[in-house]
Amino acid sequence: MRSTDGDPWFYPDRVTAGAGDVVAIHASGEPAACSLEVRHPATDTSLLRIDDITVDFHSIPDDAAENGCDWPVVASFRIDSGWPAGYLDLELRSPSGASTRHFVCLRSPRASKSAGVVVLSTNTYQAYNYWGGSNSYADVDGLQSGAVTADESRAGAIGRLSARRPYPQGLIAPPADVPRLVNLTDRGVGERAIPGDLDWMIEHRPTAYDGSACYLHKWEDVFLCWAAGAGYALDVVCDHDFEIDDHVLDGYRAAFVVGHSEYWSGRQREQVDRFVHQGGKFGVFSGNTRYWKVRWEDDAATMVAHKWRGETDDPLFADARTRADATHLWSHPAFERPEAELIGLSFLYGGYHRLAMCVARGAGGYTVYRDQHWSLDGADLFYGDTFGTDLPLLGYENDGCPIAFDHEGLPAPDGGVGVPDNLEVIAFAPATTFEPAHSPYPPLIPAEDAETLARIAHGAADPASIARQQRGHAVMASMTLGAGEVFNAGTTEWAHGLSAGDPFVEKITRNVLDRFLA
């Protein structure tokens, strides 16, 4: 991602906008008169087209991923008050037909709010964006070119990520038939488990990070299309709104995350916490939620996410006076604000299911235990039933909690960092954070820091604690919190159950939306 290759690469000057705001477009490419189209994917409508945009070539800085591109403005447009809120798909096209995409999130006007709002996981988009070479996970260009090994690639992860740069197109605008991150079929005897569609991957050659974030043809796009078709009016904001507005959720009865909402800032956490404690409803139709703690700097243009290296690389960590704003896992004891306090569950106690060799032959669905829970009303599900197994509903990333069985033979939380005692475990299935070390196949899932995970989740990094760390669960659960209430579906793949028309997933979703929006 260090060459324009003739394509007109670009980025807007903002992540989020409201009616009346002006969005400026910065671009570089082969000299040409280009056109910009603004589309609203959820309603499949074109909102604006600007022609005869003069684009010239400008160099790509070596540190573009960290500090942006600083390209000139080539066009701008004003957000019309009549445009529908939500994700706006921006496409810049050259006369040759070459084009690239980006986005802006359009906020709903305060005067006409719906009862519920979906928060797009734009912080996670940013963490996975590897345009310029690297992202918060790896030196992706080096890995793709073969210049570095997988371990060297992970060592090349960056802790500062600029919003002033384009996006790789496989990440932000994949084909409509992009496969899910899940083993779609059971692993045969003696067969290596390959997630996704091998033929599709050979044809399109995605990176390991293209399927894990962004909007088009992915979780949020799928969920919002289903919700609109099912008659639910939901507003849309994004993670970045919490950086510029201290009252994002004011006036809403319920808020939902339905994409891969993995990266949260302290400002977002504080507002959502306050919202729920004061009586708001919070629905999580996803997994790996609020796992990493981040912050925004440079007038909310740079996201800081040092992740595993937060203790050593984040300059705010060393000083006790600034440590609360440092970055690492939200469950890190230095912050005293684990994610499970808010959402009931954590990826620390969940993991992968039906992904490569992580529970490769798992059922792919939940087993029901609390069949009289309100979320299952009218779902025709009973104790011991499974649902979602034919989709599979479980795959990729899932959140969970330590589980024990109570005196009635029902699952209950068994400790865990931040996991509340009043959490009601409705259904669960096995999951794991690592591929088994004794597997005969080379691992496909990037290695996590096992010692750090075990130390935070179980209080020690000895072999027994690390082994315990590998045995987790995908959990569907609910709880009350302050004057509010939380439902957590526990899996990133929930939206795909909706798109498949699974009757159990649809009924549970309707039960949650009806209760939380009432």
Side-chain angles (χ1 to χ4, degrees), residues 339-502:
E339 63 267 27
E341 286 184 347
L342 173 64
I343 62 173
L345 308 172
S346 171
F347 190 73
L348 282 176
Y349 305 108
Y352 307 103
H353 183 104
R354 285 285 285 269
L355 186 71
M357 288 298 290
C358 292
V359 198
R361 291 196 185 98
Y366 276 126
T367 298
V368 172
Y369 285 85
R370 279 189 168 78
D371 58 342
Q372 297 188 58
H373 187 270
W374 59 261
S375 66
L376 303 185
D377 286 350
D380 195 30
L381 287 169
F382 300 91
Y383 177 83
D385 284 354
T386 60
F387 69 95
T389 56
D390 55 338
L391 297 173
L393 177 62
L394 301 182
Y396 192 38
E397 295 183 332
N398 311 270
D399 289 342
C401 64
I403 288 176
F405 284 86
D406 63 20
H407 65 281
E408 296 179 359
L410 293 174
D414 186 25
V417 179
V419 177
D421 293 337
N422 69 334
L423 184 75
E424 290 189 282
V425 176
I426 306 162
F428 71 89
T432 180
T433 47
F434 305 99
E435 293 181 83
H438 53 281
S439 165
Y441 309 106
L444 292 176
I445 309 302
E448 300 273 20
D449 187 333
E451 289 78 13
T452 299
L453 285 178
R455 173 167 54 87
I456 292 175
H458 303 293
D462 57 90
S465 297
I466 293 173
R468 183 184 179 191
Q469 175 61 36
Q470 291 186 266
R471 295 187 286 271
H473 300 91
V475 174
M476 186 171 80
S478 76
M479 66 182 189
T480 57
L481 181 63
E485 191 171 11
V486 175
F487 173 87
N488 195 333
T491 177
T492 54
E493 304 307 286
W494 192 267
H496 293 295
L498 296 174
S499 66
D502 182 274

Side-chain angles (χ1 to χ4, degrees), residues 265-397:
S265 73
R267 291 174 65 93
Q268 182 170 3
R269 169 66 192 268
E270 288 164 6
Q271 290 195 52
V272 178
D273 268 2
R274 183 175 70 244
F275 172 74
V276 178
H277 277 90
Q278 291 179 352
K281 313 292 187 182
F282 190 53
V284 180
F285 291 105
S286 190
N288 192 211
T289 303
R290 222 211 78 184
Y291 192 57
W292 291 108
K293 185 175 183 291
V294 304
R295 70 176 179 273
W296 284 86
E297 297 181 347
D298 304 329
D299 294 325
T302 303
M303 191 175 85
V304 181
H306 289 285
K307 298 180 68 173
W308 301 111
R309 298 198 289 260
E311 293 172 321
T312 56
D313 290 10
D314 195 324
L316 301 189
F317 207 100
D319 190 335
R321 294 170 296 180
T322 59
R323 191 171 301 144
D325 293 322
T327 63
H328 203 286
L329 288 168
W330 265 107
S331 288
H332 195 290
F335 306 135
E336 299 181 334
R337 301 190 72 186
E339 63 267 27
E341 286 184 347
L342 173 64
I343 62 173
L345 308 172
S346 171
F347 190 73
L348 282 176
Y349 305 108
Y352 307 103
H353 183 104
R354 285 285 285 269
L355 186 71
M357 288 298 290
C358 292
V359 198
R361 291 196 185 98
Y366 276 126
T367 298
V368 172
Y369 285 85
R370 279 189 168 78
D371 58 342
Q372 297 188 58
H373 187 270
W374 59 261
S375 66
L376 303 185
D377 286 350
D380 195 30
L381 287 169
F382 300 91
Y383 177 83
D385 284 354
T386 60
F387 69 95
T389 56
D390 55 338
L391 297 173
L393 177 62
L394 301 182
Y396 192 38
E397 295 183 332

